[in-house]
Amino acid sequence: MTEWKACTIDSMDADTLKTYLAGLPLPELRYFDEITSTNDEALAWAEQGATDGCLVVADRQSAGRGRMGRSWITQPGAALAFSLVFKPSPQEMTHLQLFSPLGALGVAAALEKHYGLRPQVKWPNDVLLEQKKVCGVLAEASWSGENLAGVVLGIGINVAPTSVPPASQLIFPATCLEQKLGHAVNRFDVLKYILAALFDWRQQMISGSFIQAWQERLAFKGERVRIEQQGISEIEGTLTGVLPDGRLALQGLSGENLSVQIGDVHLRLAD
Ligand code: BT5
């Protein structure tokens, strides 16, 4: 893969990042050169009283997490790894499953607006560029008994070529922003644009326009896909769209309407 000369900010700290992100509704942020997982830090922070919009950013994660115990690789100086703490409003409480697509839609919208790219969202939580994964989203809720301490929205994005893990560590092909754009990109600009898009789209999360925007960017529409749970093929059919509550809609092999909840499932193109 081609290496571009980095024009990114090489060293970062919380104060510089605060200045960089000035104007965004971020009450507080924490920056780490290295951390296990920004989601772990944000979940702990939520339990200790983080307010809505608190942000954790790291240059490297030693134990970055995907869904279902999978790992997420964040190489230093080449990627973005961050987690936002959200304190859901009463209306959002009934739509918690939409925070994960909010992450994917926010990333897709920012990449379109600022870099002229045409990202697609692989239901429910991946952002693809030309059918390769450039971003993964992990939304997790922190409960203390019956009370929700917060929703943590963790986002990882491959920016420079060294961020892309070797194929042997991937279950789906991966790419990075610079590979698609053909030039170097400032990671912290990408962060700023994505945060702005996330805050914007959050206002519309419980509306038809959110589902429509998601629908328009949905990958594999009209294609035969397989939904797997823990490696076992559960459902096969033609992907038709997303339903208002975020479920994936499929037409089964006998023409029947099927739907799949956002959960511990995996979407693959059928062979
Ligand atoms: C995801 O899970 O894609 C969610 C990834 C979320 C990462 C962010 S980074 C900030 C925050 N802190 C965390 O600890 N996590 C969040 P999933 O759909 O389960 O995909 C995981 C799979 O993606 C792995 O099994 C690999 O195959 C692949 N993968 C790992 N690192 C990758 C990378 N850098 N680029 C593309 N694919 C990757």
Side-chain angles (χ1 to χ4, degrees), residues 50-226:
T51 51
D52 190 73
C54 280
L55 173 70
V56 180
V57 182
D59 187 39
R60 176 172 185 268
Q61 297 187 114
S62 55
R65 291 188 280 114
R67 297 181 307 144
M68 294 173 265
R70 292 192 285 257
S71 63
W72 180 263
I73 297 161
T74 307
Q75 296 289 2
L80 276 174
F82 62 95
S83 303
L84 270 169
V85 177
F86 287 126
K87 299 278 181 173
S89 66
Q91 293 102 310
E92 289 172 343
M93 283 296 286
T94 56
H95 294 76
L96 292 180
Q97 75 281 10
L98 295 183
F99 276 98
S100 176
L102 169 68
L105 186 56
V107 170
L111 297 185
E112 279 165 21
K113 181 171 173 188
H114 297 278
Y115 300 98
L117 292 166
R118 296 218 141 268
Q120 286 196 306
V121 177
K122 175 171 169 277
W123 183 93
N125 68 323
D126 293 340
V127 181
L128 309 181
L129 287 173
E130 289 168 23
Q131 311 230 338
K132 291 184 177 173
K133 181 162 170 171
V134 70
C135 162
V137 177
L138 178 66
E140 296 179 297
S142 161
W143 293 93
S144 80
E146 298 273 284
N147 297 321
L148 182 69
V151 169
V152 164
L153 184 60
I155 298 186
I157 299 163
N158 300 330
V159 179
T162 51
S163 64
V164 180
S168 60
Q169 295 182 31
L170 298 173
I171 49 174
F172 193 86
T175 189
C176 67
L177 279 182
E178 293 185 355
Q179 186 66 37
K180 286 289 163 242
L181 290 169
H183 59 77
V185 170
N186 182 324
R187 285 183 290 158
F188 300 101
D189 280 344
V190 181
L191 176 61
K192 190 166 55 180
Y193 300 147
I194 290 171
L195 291 171
L198 286 173
F199 291 124
D200 275 358
W201 276 104
R202 184 187 181 188
Q203 310 296 320
Q204 297 179 57
M205 200 170 89
I206 307 165
S207 74
S209 56
F210 179 88
I211 298 292
Q212 196 190 325
W214 184 10
Q215 197 97 254
E216 283 163 7
R217 294 162 177 85
L218 197 63
F220 309 136
K221 233 189 308 181
E223 294 192 56
R224 258 290 270 284
V225 298
R226 211 170 53 226

Side-chain angles (χ1 to χ4, degrees), residues 134 139 239 258:
V134 70
L239 194 157
L258 302 169

